[in-house]
Amino acid sequence: MRISSVAENTFLNVNYYHLVNDILSRSFGKTPLAFVRTYGCQQNVSDSEKIKGVLKNLGYSFTDDENLSDLIVFNTCAIRQNAQDRVLGNIGILKKIKSKNPKVKIIICGCMTEQDYAANKIKNSYPFVDVVLGTKYLNVLPEVIYNLLIGSKVQVNSLESSDDDIFEDVPIERDSKIKAWVPIMYGCDNFCSYCVVPYVRGREKSRKSEDIVSEVKGLIKQGYKDITLLGQNVNSYGKHLDEKVDFSDLLEMLDNLNGDFRLRFMTSHPKDATKRLIDVIAGSNHICSHIHLPFQSGNNRILKLMNRRYTRESYLEIVNYAKHKIPDLCLTSDIIVGFPGETYEEFLDTVSLIKEVGFASLFTFIYSPRNGTPASLMKDPVTYEEKSKWFSYLLKEQESVSLKIYEEMVGKIFEVLIESRIADNLAVGKTSGNISVEIETLRQDLVGKFINVKITGYNKTKLKARIN
Ligand code: 5AD
Ligand code: SF4
């Protein structure tokens, strides 16, 4: 079947909305249930909240059990091979569910399905999948579901022309009542040589600042306390907009909003992190003292091969400026171990950088070749076993860096946003620096509140505290 073009079909296309509502209420005799599973990054989590928002408006409720569902959506990730393998394994399991209940509909969407070879593999090896959809699908989801419900076989990916459109006003079914994700831009123009994201998410496209401000205002009004701005490289926000606005301007606009909330952002690319950005954070009321600034490698030759466009020295310069300006700053980073051709000595430059900077925590990955990227064509002589040893060494070194930071926090007072309770006498929350804290307290009224706590101890993954 043919899926209509974007111009003909937006989420607000009331016809499909009504048609699906009508079919669901006539043919199910109960509220139909959808199961949405998300793989990968916060951008995908945010996309899934929109998928759920659309599904809810179409008449679905949600279940955590695939076996009970009438509709299964996998929102997939392509960043590394193991993420992709996990998706394929789990799609395989759906065969059983479909054979027990042939009426269940299965949609696979997200980054993995934007790669032709992966989309074709799903279509050919898993014929029980009903729809393969790319990353820009929200506008056609009601139409896709309608066609599924009336029995048309739909197989689409990479929808024509939706690349240029940002859909505002898509309903969002948020997972939390305290923490919210707000994408400020989509796609990536950087083409780091190892990374598949620019190929599956397309070119950078920023939302208008007035739309972002209005969404954040709404969230504050609803009582959200921890708002994270999302983008593959938030520091290049505004580049293609008609209005003259950059990321520092946007942060200032949001920081000026009234209310009791924290503002975070991820991810920052070091090549675009400016001193002005640091000054804005330092002078703000709401912006957290946390910067996620992925450096990937501490060696200049490898950084060049990665096409990262900064050096170890320029990275350290901005980090040192930030440390100097922002009290209690917590830095976190992403690291790739075993980039093609990396030697052990070059890897040791990464280890020395983590010690020099003192990151509160790290996201560490072993290099995974991605189809179509320049790095996948480079010679990669070091074995996976060898890289795994380097990786374990790095984790061990980082553990002592984190523990040293935790040790220095003991006895001091920090403001924590309480996120949940895990026992009658224990609540958990996050510092402004995004470190997890377990708080001994019998008070049951703390979730969603900012509380000052005194750090009393720590283990490998979190701080321990009591209410001050
Ligand atoms: N192999 C390993 N890690 C990767 N990342 C991105 N692409 C790859 C790859 N091919 C990591 C980077 C990035 C994070 C989101 O994922 O560290 O910052
Ligand atoms: Fe990938 Fe680099 Fe873009 Fe990040 S900045 S999404 S690592 S290409």
Side-chain angles (χ1 to χ4, degrees), residues 407-425:
E407 177 67 40
E408 281 164 11
M409 294 172 83
V410 173
K412 294 189 187 153
I413 314 277
F414 287 88
E415 187 187 64
V416 168
L417 172 63
I418 309 291
E419 292 179 358
S420 61
R421 301 198 59 86
I422 50 167
D424 270 354
N425 63 340

Side-chain angles (χ1 to χ4, degrees), residues 264-265 277-278 281-282 287-293 315-332 357-361 405 408-409 414 431-435:
R264 304 179 184 278
F265 55 88
L277 170 71
I278 306 298
I281 300 172
I287 306 172
C288 288
S289 52
H290 170 215
I291 308 180
H292 183 65
L293 198 62
Y315 183 86
L316 281 170
E317 191 188 331
I318 194 76
V319 158
N320 288 332
Y321 184 77
K323 279 182 175 175
H324 170 68
K325 286 273 176 158
I326 306 169
D328 293 325
L329 175 66
C330 274
L331 287 154
T332 56
V357 173
F359 293 97
S361 62
I405 291 173
E408 281 164 11
M409 294 172 83
F414 287 88
T431 62
S432 168
N434 211 33
I435 301 180

Side-chain angles (χ1 to χ4, degrees), residues 79-80 194-195 294 296 334-336 365-370:
I79 196 95
R80 283 169 292 275
Y194 50 81
C195 186
Q296 314 294 359
D334 294 347
I335 287 173
I336 297 178
F365 310 103
I366 294 182
Y367 168 73
S368 167
R370 306 315 294 132

Side-chain angles (χ1 to χ4, degrees), residues 177 213-225 227 257-261:
K177 298 262 175 281
V213 170
S214 131
E215 181 173 348
V216 171
K217 254 190 198 164
L219 289 167
I220 298 167
K221 210 166 150 202
Q222 288 171 58
Y224 281 89
K225 301 287 182 226
I227 296 165
L257 298 176
N258 291 325
D260 193 21
F261 68 98

Side-chain angles (χ1 to χ4, degrees), residues 4-11 43 47 50 135-140 159-170 184-187 201-208 211 241:
S4 14
S5 73
V6 172
E8 295 167 59
N9 192 339
T10 70
F11 166 72
Q43 182 59 57
D47 285 350
K50 289 185 178 151
T135 51
K136 301 149 196 130
Y137 37 69
L138 286 169
N139 58 318
V140 290
L159 295 160
E160 41 165 323
S161 78
S162 49
D163 220 10
D164 288 339
D165 292 281
I166 287 182
F167 298 102
E168 297 294 346
D169 302 326
V170 175
I184 60 166
M185 59 193 298
Y186 301 92
R201 287 257 173 201
R203 296 293 61 73
E204 272 176 18
K205 180 104 190 154
S206 298
R207 290 175 69 194
K208 283 191 212 138
D211 292 329
L241 281 176

